[in-house]
């Protein structure tokens, strides 16, 4: 329903020059509304002329002077003290004393020296230190500082501190391995040390007893080795991530240490462990049908899903455990060597250790450190464990020798034993024929 503008007296109608559609209305003189405005602006007097109008100055002489003085004072105050910091008690006392020296007759009148000499007006006093002002203009305030010694002493102190820092740098050759990743958000440089300290703290929760196989009545260490050697080949066939393999082996050992399993169900435990590890680590998870096919249809889909439920309940859904893979990545970075070749050799040695039941007595961090140390010795031909590696691994060279010698022995018999899945894997061009490198025999010769 439309309303007429005539019935609404409060409605403010547009001034001349605007059309209802939003355009400009031409006047009789032929000039547009915008041109008319510009003509008015050209005829206006400048603002300074208004301020200097004699009529205004005569009508408000005091007000104008105060306003102008106030504006000038505010401008000066903003230029000198942009932060508007308050005056201090000490500064006020210094101003008062200077006024007493120069104008003693004014002090006898009882006038407030602070009020007459302070350009800030009313001041808020705070207990801060500042320097004495030479004139009445406001100066920036500074935070309170303790009394500094003589000018010669700070320079001597600074020289001593710089010498101490230089000596500390010389005595501490540990390399900063995270500096290159300071701009990489995935490296979490600010938290990486705390993360690995947490891994070291909880790694024992992921370990199992090295004698857990004694409670199994139908399987033994040899069957476990056969299962893991076969799963390493399956892992390579599916082209899965490295984390998946280590978590698979960890789930197998943790489950077998808590539940007794018959021989015909052992392969099912291995398949379900890999399925769970894939669901935890991988982006693309193999389907259950693929696992059934690769096991030559030894189990049905129902059996796989039932075993998955049993394992998760037994492990209490605890899948977040530090495996040797986590520590190996960190220690390889600390080694500061040829990343590709050293990494392949270290993974070759540690995967050989996954197959062997006797290597369960070493915690994941020690296993990873020994693999890094043995890989370095294998590639360089000499013993060497840098201070940087010892710092980040928390293991000395002597602590690694026992595990390292066992790895050298596994390397020696990798091609001649019955379980050669790891050796065949690392004898391909995909892994740069790493398994064909000569073992570090000299580590066995130093054994006492």
């Amino acid at each position: 329903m439309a309303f007429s503008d005539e019935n609404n007296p409060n409605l403010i109608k547009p001034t001349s020059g605007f059309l209802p559609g939003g355009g400009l209305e031409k006047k009789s003189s032929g000039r547009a509304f915008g041109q008319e405005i510009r003509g008015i602006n050209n005829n206006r007097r400048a603002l300074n002329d208004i301020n200097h109008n004699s009529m205004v100055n005569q009508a408000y002489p005091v007000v104008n002077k105060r306003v102008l003085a106030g504006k000038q004072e505010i401008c000066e105050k903003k230029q000198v003290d942009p932060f508007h910091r308050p005056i201090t008690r000490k500064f006020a006392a210094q101003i008062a004393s200077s006024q007493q020296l120069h104008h003693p007759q004014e002090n006898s009148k009882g006038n407030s020296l602070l009020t007459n000499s302070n350009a800030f007006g009313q001041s808020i006093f705070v207990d801060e230190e500042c320097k004495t002002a030479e004139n009445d203009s406001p100066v920036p305030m500074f935070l309170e500082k303790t009394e500094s010694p003589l000018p010669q002493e700070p320079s001597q102190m600074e020289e001593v501190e710089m010498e101490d820092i230089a000596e500390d740098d010389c005595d501490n050759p540990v390399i900063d391995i995270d500096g290159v990743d300071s701009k990489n958000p995935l490296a979490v440089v600010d938290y990486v040390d705390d993360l690995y300290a947490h891994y070291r703290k909880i790694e024992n929760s992921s370990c199992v007893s090295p004698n857990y196989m004694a409670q199994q009545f139908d399987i033994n260490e040899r069957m476990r080795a056969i299962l893991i050697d076969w799963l390493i080949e399956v892992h390579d066939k599916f082209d899965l991530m490295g984390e998946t393999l280590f978590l698979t082996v960890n789930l197998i050992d943790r489950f077998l240490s808590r539940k007794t399993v018959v021989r015909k169900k052992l392969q099912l435990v291995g398949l379900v462990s890999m399925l769970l590890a894939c669901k935890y680590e991988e982006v693309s998870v193999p389907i259950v049908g693929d696992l059934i096919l690769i096991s030559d249809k030894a189990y049905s889909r129902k059996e796989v899903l039932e075993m998955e439920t049993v394992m998760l309940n037994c492990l209490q859904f605890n899948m977040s455990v530090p495996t040797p893979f986590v520590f190996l990545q960190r220690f390889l970075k600390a080694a500061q060597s040829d990343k590709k070749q050293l990494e392949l050799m270290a993974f070759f040695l540690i995967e050989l250790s996954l197959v062997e039941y006797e290597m369960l007595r070493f915690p994941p961090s020690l296993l990873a450190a020994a693999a890094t140390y043995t890989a370095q010795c294998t590639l360089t031909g000499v013993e060497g464990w840098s201070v940087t590696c010892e710092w980040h691994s928390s293991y000395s060279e002597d602590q690694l020798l026992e595990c390292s010698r066992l790895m050298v022995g596994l390397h020696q018999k990798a091609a001649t034993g019955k379980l050669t899945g790891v050796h065949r894997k690392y004898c391909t061009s995909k892994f740069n024929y790493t398994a064909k490198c000569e073992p570090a025999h000299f580590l066995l010769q130093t054994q006492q």
Side-chain angles (χ1 to χ4, degrees):
M1 179 176 180
F3 295 94
S4 174
D5 294 341
E6 297 177 355
N7 296 329
N8 191 358
N10 297 324
L11 180 65
I12 300 175
K13 296 183 180 181
T15 60
S16 61
F18 283 102
L19 295 177
L24 294 175
E25 180 183 1
K26 294 281 186 176
K27 288 189 175 292
S28 61
S29 61
R31 291 190 303 172
F33 180 73
Q35 296 176 356
E36 202 169 86
I37 292 295
R38 286 194 294 272
I40 293 173
N41 291 335
N42 292 332
N43 294 328
R44 287 182 177 178
R45 288 172 298 172
L47 184 61
N48 293 331
D49 295 335
I50 296 176
N51 291 335
H52 292 84
N53 192 323
S54 59
M55 295 178 64
V56 177
N57 291 336
Q58 291 176 5
Y60 308 101
V62 179
V63 174
N64 284 341
K65 289 181 180 180
R66 288 180 179 178
V67 171
L68 294 176
K71 289 183 178 179
Q72 183 178 3
E73 182 181 350
I74 292 173
C75 294
E76 291 178 356
K77 180 179 178 182
K78 287 185 178 179
Q79 292 176 0
V80 178
D81 185 19
F83 299 101
H84 304 286
R85 294 178 177 173
I87 193 170
T88 62
R89 295 183 184 274
K90 185 175 181 179
F91 182 41
Q94 291 171 352
I95 294 176
S97 61
S98 62
Q99 291 292 332
Q100 289 176 359
L101 294 176
H102 292 86
H103 306 284
Q105 66 279 6
E106 295 179 5
N107 299 337
S108 60
K109 297 179 182 181
N111 296 332
S112 176
L113 296 175
L114 177 61
T115 305
N116 295 333
S117 61
N118 184 15
F120 285 101
Q122 294 181 354
S123 301
I124 301 174
F125 294 100
V126 293
D127 293 333
E128 295 178 343
E129 295 287 343
C130 65
K131 296 182 179 180
T132 304
E134 296 179 359
N135 50 29
D136 294 342
S137 61
V139 296
M141 300 295 105
F142 298 93
L143 296 177
E144 181 178 2
K145 295 183 180 180
T146 56
E147 295 184 358
S148 59
L150 295 177
Q152 295 81 5
E153 295 181 3
S155 60
Q156 295 176 359
M157 293 291 293
E158 292 176 359
E159 291 178 359
V160 172
E161 291 177 357
M162 293 301 295
E163 290 177 0
D164 294 340
I165 295 173
E167 291 177 0
D168 292 340
D169 292 339
C170 295
D171 296 336
N172 187 14
V174 177
I175 301 174
D176 181 15
I177 64 176
D178 298 313
V180 295
D181 295 326
S182 58
K183 296 183 179 180
N184 182 9
L186 298 179
V188 290
V189 174
D190 296 335
Y191 310 102
V192 66
D193 291 330
D194 295 334
L195 286 173
Y196 278 91
H198 176 68
Y199 291 151
R200 291 294 298 268
K201 183 178 180 181
I202 67 171
E203 69 173 330
N204 291 329
S205 62
S206 65
C207 298
V208 297
S209 173
N211 301 319
Y212 79 83
M213 199 59 73
Q215 68 182 11
Q216 297 289 340
F217 61 91
D218 201 26
I219 59 176
N220 52 34
E221 299 88 342
R222 181 67 179 177
M223 295 178 186
R224 174 193 175 274
I226 294 172
L227 173 65
I228 295 177
D229 188 76
W230 175 72
L231 287 174
I232 289 175
E233 294 187 79
V234 174
H235 174 271
D236 186 37
K237 292 292 183 182
F238 282 112
D239 197 18
L240 302 176
M241 299 175 62
E243 299 96 316
T244 304
L245 176 62
F246 288 85
L247 183 57
T248 299
V249 177
N250 180 270
L251 295 176
I252 291 173
D253 288 325
R254 287 166 58 201
F255 181 73
L256 294 180
S257 64
R258 300 183 183 186
K259 292 285 186 180
T260 57
V261 178
V262 295
R263 187 176 305 181
K264 65 179 182 179
K265 295 291 185 180
L266 181 60
Q267 188 180 13
L268 179 61
V269 171
L271 288 174
V272 174
S273 297
M274 179 164 285
L275 177 62
L276 292 174
C278 289
K279 289 182 178 181
Y280 188 82
E281 298 286 357
E282 300 289 338
V283 176
S284 179
V285 180
I287 61 176
V288 178
D290 293 339
L291 298 177
I292 294 174
L293 288 176
I294 206 167
S295 64
D296 199 16
K297 298 182 180 180
Y299 309 101
S300 64
R301 178 183 179 85
K302 182 180 179 180
E303 290 178 312
V304 173
L305 298 179
E306 287 179 352
M307 180 59 71
E308 183 181 20
T309 304
V310 172
M311 289 189 66
L312 287 174
N313 290 328
C314 179
L315 301 176
Q316 299 178 351
F317 289 82
N318 184 16
M319 309 283 288
S320 301
V321 292
T323 63
F325 180 88
V326 176
F327 296 102
L328 189 58
Q329 292 291 93
R330 184 66 173 171
F331 300 160
L332 287 172
K333 187 176 182 180
Q336 298 286 315
S337 183
D338 183 10
K339 181 179 179 181
K340 185 65 177 178
Q341 191 63 29
L342 181 66
E343 179 180 347
L344 291 175
M345 180 58 68
F347 274 99
F348 169 63
L349 294 172
I350 205 167
E351 286 184 21
L352 289 174
S353 303
L354 291 179
V355 179
E356 299 299 324
Y357 176 75
E358 63 175 335
M359 303 298 284
L360 289 175
R361 58 194 178 97
F362 298 108
S365 59
L366 178 59
L367 205 63
T372 306
Y373 171 72
T374 309
Q376 282 183 316
C377 296
T378 303
L379 296 177
T380 60
V382 294
E383 298 182 35
W385 189 240
S386 64
V387 179
T388 303
C389 292
E390 183 174 349
W391 170 265
H392 288 284
S393 66
S394 301
Y395 292 110
S396 63
E397 186 175 358
D398 294 336
Q399 292 175 311
L400 301 176
L401 284 177
E402 181 184 2
C403 184
S404 180
R405 287 163 183 157
L406 291 175
M407 288 184 176
V408 173
L410 296 176
H411 189 184
Q412 287 177 337
K413 61 181 182 180
T416 58
K418 293 182 179 180
L419 301 176
T420 58
V422 179
H423 185 269
R424 292 196 306 271
K425 173 183 175 181
Y426 283 89
C427 274
T428 60
S429 59
K430 178 182 178 180
F431 296 95
N432 203 18
Y433 306 101
T434 303
K436 295 184 178 181
C437 295
E438 277 296 315
H441 302 288
F442 60 91
L443 291 178
L444 300 178
Q445 296 174 358
T446 59
Q447 185 175 2
Q448 297 178 356

